[in-house]
């Protein structure tokens, strides 16, 4: 089943092993890499059709790897996973060629749906409705920080300068989990 070959790139060995087992049971032929160099080598050797890529690979950034993987295998479908979700990162991932973007924790069924959704290029893209209520102030701050951090190519000191805050304050804000958009409300 080489048509269903999938490369998982994640520096968290336990997460990669669990996801590989789950996706293997769903019909994928799974190979794993724990860093960018290993990912490039496996991509050259196996030419996978699908890729699940973590945003943070130790000191490396998964966003930078997307165009390299697509240069090696032009038809590869890349799904970017991250524990630090933000709109700015999602937009940047799509601009760089990712087909989808999911926040951790994520289950294997969601990964399969994201990888296979639109694989036949049917063109039935749905428009996303704008939120009815404005985002919370803390969420807006998180999104702005992520956008500026992306513009600064991940440089914390430069991002802090542009935001007019102390570097340690920015690091503290970044170390927290992202703020939820809004709590689920009853209709």
């Amino acid at each position: 089943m080489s048509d269903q070959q999938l490369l998982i790139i994640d520096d968290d060995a336990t997460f990669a092993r669990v996801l590989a087992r789950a996706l293997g049971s769903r019909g994928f032929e799974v190979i794993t890499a724990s860093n960018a160099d290993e990912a490039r080598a496996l991509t050259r050797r196996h030419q996978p059709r699908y890729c699940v890529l973590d945003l943070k690979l130790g000191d490396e950034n998964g966003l930078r790897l997307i165009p390299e993987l697509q240069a090696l295998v032009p038809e590869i479908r890349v799904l970017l996973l991250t524990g630090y979700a933000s709109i700015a990162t999602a937009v940047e991932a799509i601009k760089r060629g990712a087909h989808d973007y999911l926040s951790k924790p994520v289950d294997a069924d969601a990964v399969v749906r994201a990888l296979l959704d639109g694989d036949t290029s049917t063109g039935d893209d749905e428009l996303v409705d704008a939120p009815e209520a404005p985002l919370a102030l803390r969420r807006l701050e998180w999104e702005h920080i992520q956008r500026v951090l992306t513009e600064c190519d991940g440089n914390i000191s430069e991002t802090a300068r542009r935001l007019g805050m102390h570097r340690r304050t920015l690091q503290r804000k970044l170390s927290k989990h992202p703020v939820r958009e809004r709590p689920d409300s009853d209709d």
Side-chain angles (χ1 to χ4, degrees), residues 29 33 36 118 132 138-139 151 155:
E29 183 183 324
E132 294 176 14
R138 288 177 40 215
R139 181 65 187 191
E151 289 172 1
N155 183 322

Side-chain angles (χ1 to χ4, degrees), residues 183-187:
D184 293 333
S185 59
D186 296 283
D187 289 333

Side-chain angles (χ1 to χ4, degrees), residues 97-114:
H99 287 83
D100 210 336
Y101 175 97
L102 294 176
S103 299
K104 291 180 182 177
V106 65
D107 64 38
D109 291 329
V111 170
V112 171
R113 279 192 304 275

Side-chain angles (χ1 to χ4, degrees), residues 119-132:
D119 194 12
T120 57
S121 302
T122 57
D124 295 335
D125 295 348
E126 296 179 12
L127 295 176
V128 177
D129 291 336
E132 294 176 14

Side-chain angles (χ1 to χ4, degrees), residues 5-16:
Q5 197 158 56
L6 169 79
L7 173 62
I8 296 174
I9 309 167
D10 199 311
D11 60 341
D12 180 345
T14 303
F15 176 79

